Amino acid sequence: MSDHREDGEGLQAYYDEALRCVRCGLCQAVCPVYAVEQSEASVARGKVQLARALLEGRLEPSPAVRERLFLCLNCGACTANCPSGVNVAKLMLATRAQLLRDVGRPAVEGLLLRQVLANPRSLGLAGAGLALYRRSGLRWLAHYVDALATLPAGLAKAEAMLPSRSRSRPRVGPAPERPRYRVAYFAGCVTSVLYPDLAQSVVAVLRQEGCQVVLPRGLGCCGTPHRAYGDAAAAQKLADRNTRALNEASVEAVVTDCATCGAGLKDYSGLRVPVYDVSQFLVEEAGLVAPRRPLAVRVTYHDPCHLARGQGVREAPRRLLRAIPGLDLVEMAEADRCCGGAGTFALTHPETSLRILERKVANAAATGAAIVASGCPACLLQIGYGLGRLAAGGQDGPREALHPVELLAQAYAPP
Ligand code: SF4
Ligand code: SF4
């Protein structure tokens, strides 16, 4: 059930949460941002004290305070490891909502959240524009004439993170004549805009496993980015629209390939259809019944924060990978440590994000794996960027970041 105290009762409802912090500092050990920044403002303890000072009127809301509270990946590691049970994640979301009301936000943030992500037509146009840019030679030309040097830092980083490779598109077989399940596929914004080939893999795999896949009309962004930025009203509007579309779709399950969307959808109140991460659905519900051919490749798996801590889904993607004959799954150190992507964190805090990413990529490279698999397209974007830098620097390491379902789709393809 959704916990939306931040929407109605405001930050005051979280005062008890802030009081529970005994300032033990144990959150320091698990905070990826603290490991890089080494400042009290970057760790949960410091942020909880900031929230408390705001509540007690000892601190005036200001853009500077907002900036300090946004120096956070919202990865949930502190919440999961806090011995006092402080729900840091919820407290941060509530504080951000309060600060949005009190001090507003940068115009570009409002534009992105309200005009682009919240509007399927704008999102579709953005996706088409980006596809044209990546595939038409425009991107090559922009690099060739060094046009990117004139872009603001955040935009230049966003351009650098665009996936460069064109993945092999799996064949999507016909819909099964006697489907075992009828499921709705929720393809989130990142998949829709940047990874249409991943969406194709999801549909191919679900069909291969005997599912009828429907794409309900009227779906849009899950609203998680809006909630993360404190815009609870916009998030709720999106949740209501998606809930209506999914409830009317006459399906047995909602399936998504995006860890963030999955966590957001599972938090909707009023949704009458169960939501599954695609690996969870395939392994725990449908079962993998279609024949698979061997894939002789070493793979390591990165746990997305919103899948591992957000939904408690850790084993299903690993079981899915192990179900591919010949695939050698090796664990990396700190597999569930955030990769540093965290939505727009990689763009708003490029240096911090990069240093967090370098640790992730080094851990992946140490396994000798050729591929990093991860159950979240946003993590694939960030890790793929890190692997690209590794290759450009001439260093050994995995060369590709793929969703587990993309590997499964390859294992279904004829040899
Ligand atoms: S681990 Fe929990 S109680 Fe300890 S300082 Fe961090 S937030 Fe406070
Ligand atoms: S959510 Fe993650 S990044 Fe933010 S304070 Fe907690 S551990 Fe650090």
Side-chain angles (χ1 to χ4, degrees), residues 183-197:
V183 303
Y185 171 36
F186 188 95
C189 303
V190 179
T191 299
S192 305
V193 171
L194 295 174
Y195 292 126
D197 31 15

PDB file of all heavy atoms in Angstrom, residues 183-197:
ATOM      1  N   VAL A 183      -1.005 -10.585 -20.378  1.00  0.00           N
ATOM      2  CA  VAL A 183      -0.307  -9.610 -19.536  1.00  0.00           C
ATOM      3  C   VAL A 183      -0.218  -8.259 -20.233  1.00  0.00           C
ATOM      4  O   VAL A 183      -0.185  -8.172 -21.468  1.00  0.00           O
ATOM      5  CB  VAL A 183       1.128 -10.086 -19.176  1.00  0.00           C
ATOM      6  CG1 VAL A 183       1.104 -11.437 -18.479  1.00  0.00           C
ATOM      7  CG2 VAL A 183       2.029 -10.151 -20.407  1.00  0.00           C
ATOM      8  N   ALA A 184      -0.185  -7.209 -19.404  1.00  0.00           N
ATOM      9  CA  ALA A 184       0.062  -5.863 -19.936  1.00  0.00           C
ATOM     10  C   ALA A 184       1.543  -5.567 -19.768  1.00  0.00           C
ATOM     11  O   ALA A 184       2.111  -5.814 -18.709  1.00  0.00           O
ATOM     12  CB  ALA A 184      -0.756  -4.829 -19.163  1.00  0.00           C
ATOM     13  N   TYR A 185       2.142  -5.064 -20.816  1.00  0.00           N
ATOM     14  CA  TYR A 185       3.565  -4.684 -20.740  1.00  0.00           C
ATOM     15  C   TYR A 185       3.645  -3.188 -20.478  1.00  0.00           C
ATOM     16  O   TYR A 185       3.134  -2.378 -21.266  1.00  0.00           O
ATOM     17  CB  TYR A 185       4.269  -5.070 -22.043  1.00  0.00           C
ATOM     18  CG  TYR A 185       5.685  -4.541 -22.176  1.00  0.00           C
ATOM     19  CD1 TYR A 185       6.532  -4.438 -21.072  1.00  0.00           C
ATOM     20  CD2 TYR A 185       6.191  -4.147 -23.413  1.00  0.00           C
ATOM     21  CE1 TYR A 185       7.826  -3.954 -21.192  1.00  0.00           C
ATOM     22  CE2 TYR A 185       7.485  -3.671 -23.549  1.00  0.00           C
ATOM     23  CZ  TYR A 185       8.287  -3.570 -22.428  1.00  0.00           C
ATOM     24  OH  TYR A 185       9.566  -3.077 -22.560  1.00  0.00           O
ATOM     25  N   PHE A 186       4.295  -2.829 -19.380  1.00  0.00           N
ATOM     26  CA  PHE A 186       4.521  -1.418 -19.066  1.00  0.00           C
ATOM     27  C   PHE A 186       5.968  -1.102 -19.427  1.00  0.00           C
ATOM     28  O   PHE A 186       6.893  -1.442 -18.699  1.00  0.00           O
ATOM     29  CB  PHE A 186       4.272  -1.154 -17.570  1.00  0.00           C
ATOM     30  CG  PHE A 186       4.290   0.306 -17.208  1.00  0.00           C
ATOM     31  CD1 PHE A 186       3.107   1.039 -17.143  1.00  0.00           C
ATOM     32  CD2 PHE A 186       5.477   0.958 -16.941  1.00  0.00           C
ATOM     33  CE1 PHE A 186       3.124   2.398 -16.821  1.00  0.00           C
ATOM     34  CE2 PHE A 186       5.506   2.309 -16.614  1.00  0.00           C
ATOM     35  CZ  PHE A 186       4.327   3.024 -16.557  1.00  0.00           C
ATOM     36  N   ALA A 187       6.151  -0.487 -20.581  1.00  0.00           N
ATOM     37  CA  ALA A 187       7.496  -0.068 -21.005  1.00  0.00           C
ATOM     38  C   ALA A 187       7.689   1.359 -20.507  1.00  0.00           C
ATOM     39  O   ALA A 187       6.962   2.255 -20.901  1.00  0.00           O
ATOM     40  CB  ALA A 187       7.615  -0.123 -22.520  1.00  0.00           C
ATOM     41  N   GLY A 188       8.630   1.555 -19.636  1.00  0.00           N
ATOM     42  CA  GLY A 188       8.821   2.886 -19.050  1.00  0.00           C
ATOM     43  C   GLY A 188       9.448   3.866 -20.032  1.00  0.00           C
ATOM     44  O   GLY A 188       9.707   3.539 -21.200  1.00  0.00           O
ATOM     45  N   CYS A 189       9.707   5.068 -19.530  1.00  0.00           N
ATOM     46  CA  CYS A 189      10.202   6.145 -20.403  1.00  0.00           C
ATOM     47  C   CYS A 189      11.576   5.825 -20.986  1.00  0.00           C
ATOM     48  O   CYS A 189      11.808   6.059 -22.174  1.00  0.00           O
ATOM     49  CB  CYS A 189      10.285   7.452 -19.613  1.00  0.00           C
ATOM     50  SG  CYS A 189       8.729   7.941 -18.866  1.00  0.00           S
ATOM     51  N   VAL A 190      12.488   5.304 -20.164  1.00  0.00           N
ATOM     52  CA  VAL A 190      13.851   5.060 -20.672  1.00  0.00           C
ATOM     53  C   VAL A 190      13.826   3.981 -21.747  1.00  0.00           C
ATOM     54  O   VAL A 190      14.447   4.115 -22.807  1.00  0.00           O
ATOM     55  CB  VAL A 190      14.819   4.676 -19.528  1.00  0.00           C
ATOM     56  CG1 VAL A 190      16.217   4.414 -20.075  1.00  0.00           C
ATOM     57  CG2 VAL A 190      14.870   5.777 -18.476  1.00  0.00           C
ATOM     58  N   THR A 191      13.088   2.904 -21.493  1.00  0.00           N
ATOM     59  CA  THR A 191      12.996   1.846 -22.503  1.00  0.00           C
ATOM     60  C   THR A 191      12.357   2.383 -23.775  1.00  0.00           C
ATOM     61  O   THR A 191      12.848   2.149 -24.888  1.00  0.00           O
ATOM     62  CB  THR A 191      12.176   0.650 -21.961  1.00  0.00           C
ATOM     63  OG1 THR A 191      12.829   0.125 -20.816  1.00  0.00           O
ATOM     64  CG2 THR A 191      12.046  -0.449 -23.002  1.00  0.00           C
ATOM     65  N   SER A 192      11.257   3.110 -23.618  1.00  0.00           N
ATOM     66  CA  SER A 192      10.526   3.595 -24.803  1.00  0.00           C
ATOM     67  C   SER A 192      11.389   4.530 -25.645  1.00  0.00           C
ATOM     68  O   SER A 192      11.384   4.448 -26.875  1.00  0.00           O
ATOM     69  CB  SER A 192       9.273   4.357 -24.390  1.00  0.00           C
ATOM     70  OG  SER A 192       8.478   3.573 -23.571  1.00  0.00           O
ATOM     71  N   VAL A 193      12.120   5.417 -24.972  1.00  0.00           N
ATOM     72  CA  VAL A 193      12.853   6.444 -25.710  1.00  0.00           C
ATOM     73  C   VAL A 193      14.217   5.948 -26.195  1.00  0.00           C
ATOM     74  O   VAL A 193      14.622   6.228 -27.320  1.00  0.00           O
ATOM     75  CB  VAL A 193      13.017   7.706 -24.824  1.00  0.00           C
ATOM     76  CG1 VAL A 193      13.951   8.718 -25.472  1.00  0.00           C
ATOM     77  CG2 VAL A 193      11.658   8.344 -24.574  1.00  0.00           C
ATOM     78  N   LEU A 194      14.910   5.190 -25.340  1.00  0.00           N
ATOM     79  CA  LEU A 194      16.299   4.854 -25.670  1.00  0.00           C
ATOM     80  C   LEU A 194      16.545   3.386 -26.019  1.00  0.00           C
ATOM     81  O   LEU A 194      17.537   3.061 -26.658  1.00  0.00           O
ATOM     82  CB  LEU A 194      17.217   5.246 -24.505  1.00  0.00           C
ATOM     83  CG  LEU A 194      17.304   6.739 -24.231  1.00  0.00           C
ATOM     84  CD1 LEU A 194      18.115   7.006 -22.987  1.00  0.00           C
ATOM     85  CD2 LEU A 194      17.925   7.464 -25.427  1.00  0.00           C
ATOM     86  N   TYR A 195      15.675   2.512 -25.547  1.00  0.00           N
ATOM     87  CA  TYR A 195      15.921   1.081 -25.762  1.00  0.00           C
ATOM     88  C   TYR A 195      14.717   0.359 -26.366  1.00  0.00           C
ATOM     89  O   TYR A 195      14.204  -0.593 -25.786  1.00  0.00           O
ATOM     90  CB  TYR A 195      16.294   0.410 -24.437  1.00  0.00           C
ATOM     91  CG  TYR A 195      17.628   0.808 -23.861  1.00  0.00           C
ATOM     92  CD1 TYR A 195      17.719   1.285 -22.565  1.00  0.00           C
ATOM     93  CD2 TYR A 195      18.807   0.671 -24.597  1.00  0.00           C
ATOM     94  CE1 TYR A 195      18.948   1.643 -22.007  1.00  0.00           C
ATOM     95  CE2 TYR A 195      20.033   1.026 -24.055  1.00  0.00           C
ATOM     96  CZ  TYR A 195      20.095   1.505 -22.767  1.00  0.00           C
ATOM     97  OH  TYR A 195      21.306   1.853 -22.221  1.00  0.00           O
ATOM     98  N   PRO A 196      14.247   0.790 -27.550  1.00  0.00           N
ATOM     99  CA  PRO A 196      13.121   0.069 -28.166  1.00  0.00           C
ATOM    100  C   PRO A 196      13.460  -1.392 -28.428  1.00  0.00           C
ATOM    101  O   PRO A 196      12.582  -2.254 -28.455  1.00  0.00           O
ATOM    102  CB  PRO A 196      12.874   0.843 -29.469  1.00  0.00           C
ATOM    103  CG  PRO A 196      14.094   1.656 -29.697  1.00  0.00           C
ATOM    104  CD  PRO A 196      14.711   1.918 -28.365  1.00  0.00           C
ATOM    105  N   ASP A 197      14.771  -1.671 -28.611  1.00  0.00           N
ATOM    106  CA  ASP A 197      15.181  -3.060 -28.833  1.00  0.00           C
ATOM    107  C   ASP A 197      14.977  -3.905 -27.580  1.00  0.00           C
ATOM    108  O   ASP A 197      14.677  -5.093 -27.662  1.00  0.00           O
ATOM    109  CB  ASP A 197      16.642  -3.133 -29.284  1.00  0.00           C
ATOM    110  CG  ASP A 197      17.493  -2.016 -28.713  1.00  0.00           C
ATOM    111  OD1 ASP A 197      17.030  -1.360 -27.758  1.00  0.00           O
ATOM    112  OD2 ASP A 197      18.599  -1.804 -29.194  1.00  0.00           O
TER     113      ASP A 197
END
